[in-house]
Amino acid sequence: MQVVSRLRRFIFSPTILRIFSVLSTLFGISIFVFVVLRVIPGDTITGSFGIETGVLTPDQIAQLRHYYGIDQSLLLQYLSWMKSFLSGQLGYSFSTGVSVLKLTKSALPVTVELALIGTILGVVIGIAIGMFSARKPGSFRDFAGQLFGLLALAIPGFVLSTAIVTIMANKFHYFPNGLEYMPPWENPWTNFQQMMFPGLVLGIAVAAPVMRTTRSALLETVDKDFVRTAHGKGVAPRKVQYRHILRNSLIPIVTMTGIQFGYLLGGAVIVEQIFALPGMGRQVLNAITKREYATVQSSVMIFAIMFVTINVLTDLIYRKIDPRIK
């Protein structure tokens, strides 16, 4: 009886439940992306040959379906892909003649760098404006801060990206993204110029929800007893603002930051396309147009794994911010 009780506590422990939640989420995403790709009209043959598919004979189409592995049942295709993915063989890109793993190794660092830049800029801008707005709620500065958040949420990223590219290229004849992409370890200055504007576009998109979250969290914390006690002890206002109010408002801010960073990893497709950055988003977009199932499926699963990992790391950061959280 005691063994059964211990086994039950182990199975229903928060850690085991969290692992089960992560695995079930990834499993659901794998099925979803697999099914959605097959629902879209066309297949790898039409994506590769286009209108020339109509001149192919039935025997040629049958041979191509066998070559691309789409002549099998959907269940066998799914199991074959999952087996390859779990073994580290992400598939093969027929249009480039390169394995998906090799493509991902070159594209993933670009997307991660872009997401990091956008997140850092967004957090700095969002927290600064959120604190500026929350210091005097209902005042003009509060109105200005909330207006920034509203505009940042309302203006689509592709509109802002297109405007920046058009103005910089036509008015100033400056478009470093027209050059070949340079990694930061090869040419830091060129990389900075190529990442500056797309990072700013994503940073503005992140800054809006971070600003609104910061403002709400600060206004909720400012009336707490420990804040009034700090003021009563004569602690400097700036010290109270940063050490007491901001520090105790970090959990919702960290939550929003983690969500936004995960979103940028998979949601920077349009920005990468406009600024000609060879990242994962652009890789997925090109693969979708060519119906390369393995490339899209494996890339989306990598995004999903990274997003889930970020959520887990965010939970661990909670414990560092507030030791009472277990």
Side-chain angles (χ1 to χ4, degrees):
M1 191 69 179
Q2 190 176 5
V3 175
V4 175
S5 178
R6 289 181 179 179
L7 181 61
R8 183 180 301 172
R9 286 199 303 269
F10 174 76
I11 293 175
F12 292 99
S13 64
T15 302
I16 298 300
L17 290 177
R18 187 58 187 271
I19 293 175
F20 176 77
S21 174
V22 167
L23 294 178
S24 60
T25 300
L26 294 177
F27 176 69
I29 292 173
S30 68
I31 294 179
F32 177 78
V33 67
F34 180 86
V35 172
V36 167
L37 284 175
R38 270 82 183 164
V39 172
I40 298 175
D43 53 23
T44 309
I45 299 176
T46 57
S48 302
F49 292 89
I51 60 175
E52 296 180 1
T53 307
V55 301
L56 297 175
T57 64
D59 290 338
Q60 290 174 325
I61 293 177
Q63 292 176 6
L64 287 172
R65 288 180 59 84
H66 179 72
Y67 175 73
Y68 290 128
I70 57 177
D71 59 335
Q72 301 175 338
S73 65
L74 292 180
L75 178 60
L76 289 179
Q77 291 183 50
Y78 176 79
L79 294 177
S80 176
W81 166 59
M82 286 303 299
K83 180 181 178 181
S84 299
F85 183 83
L86 294 176
S87 64
Q89 304 296 325
L90 305 186
Y92 189 80
S93 173
F94 297 102
S95 62
T96 61
V98 180
S99 66
V100 178
L101 181 61
K102 187 174 182 180
L103 291 175
T104 303
K105 284 182 178 180
S106 62
L108 186 58
V110 180
T111 298
V112 172
E113 181 188 1
L114 181 60
L116 283 173
I117 293 174
T119 302
I120 292 172
L121 289 176
V123 169
V124 172
I125 296 172
I127 291 180
I129 297 179
M131 294 181 66
F132 176 82
S133 179
R135 192 164 296 179
K136 291 184 179 180
S139 63
F140 175 77
R141 63 193 296 172
D142 186 23
F143 171 77
Q146 295 193 66
L147 179 62
F148 165 80
L150 181 63
L151 291 176
L153 288 173
I155 300 176
F158 70 89
V159 173
L160 188 57
S161 300
T162 305
I164 290 176
V165 170
T166 303
I167 294 173
M168 298 305 296
N170 293 339
K171 298 294 183 181
F172 300 99
H173 305 288
Y174 176 77
F175 186 61
N177 295 84
L179 305 174
E180 181 183 358
Y181 169 77
M182 297 300 296
W185 53 86
E186 292 185 8
N187 194 326
W189 174 239
T190 301
N191 177 266
F192 171 76
Q193 296 180 81
Q194 292 176 331
M195 287 292 186
M196 178 172 56
F197 290 112
L200 180 62
V201 171
L202 296 180
I204 291 175
V206 172
V210 171
M211 172 266 162
R212 296 168 69 90
T213 303
T214 301
R215 179 184 178 276
S216 300
L218 293 178
L219 290 178
E220 183 179 347
T221 307
V222 73
D223 292 328
K224 299 291 185 181
D225 292 337
F226 63 86
V227 176
R228 288 195 291 267
T229 302
H231 283 299
K233 288 183 176 180
V235 180
R238 184 176 294 272
K239 192 173 182 179
V240 173
Q241 186 74 19
Y242 286 96
R243 284 198 175 184
H244 296 272
I245 300 177
L246 180 60
R247 186 174 181 179
N248 286 277
S249 304
L250 283 179
I251 287 183
I253 298 173
V254 170
T255 302
M256 180 57 66
T257 301
I259 293 173
Q260 292 300 312
F261 180 66
Y263 163 75
L264 291 186
L265 286 174
V269 178
I270 302 300
V271 174
E272 287 181 358
Q273 186 70 17
I274 293 176
F275 286 95
L277 293 173
M280 289 286 290
R282 198 177 182 192
Q283 174 178 303
V284 171
L285 185 62
N286 293 335
I288 290 175
T289 59
K290 297 175 182 177
R291 303 296 189 273
E292 292 194 347
Y293 296 146
T295 305
V296 179
Q297 292 167 177
S298 299
S299 300
V300 171
M301 285 303 299
I302 290 173
F303 283 140
I305 292 171
M306 294 180 68
F307 190 85
V308 169
T309 303
I310 291 168
N311 285 336
V312 173
L313 292 177
T314 302
D315 291 345
L316 296 177
I317 293 175
Y318 290 165
R319 301 185 182 185
K320 294 294 182 181
I321 296 174
D322 190 349
R324 295 172 298 179
I325 299 177
K326 295 182 180 181

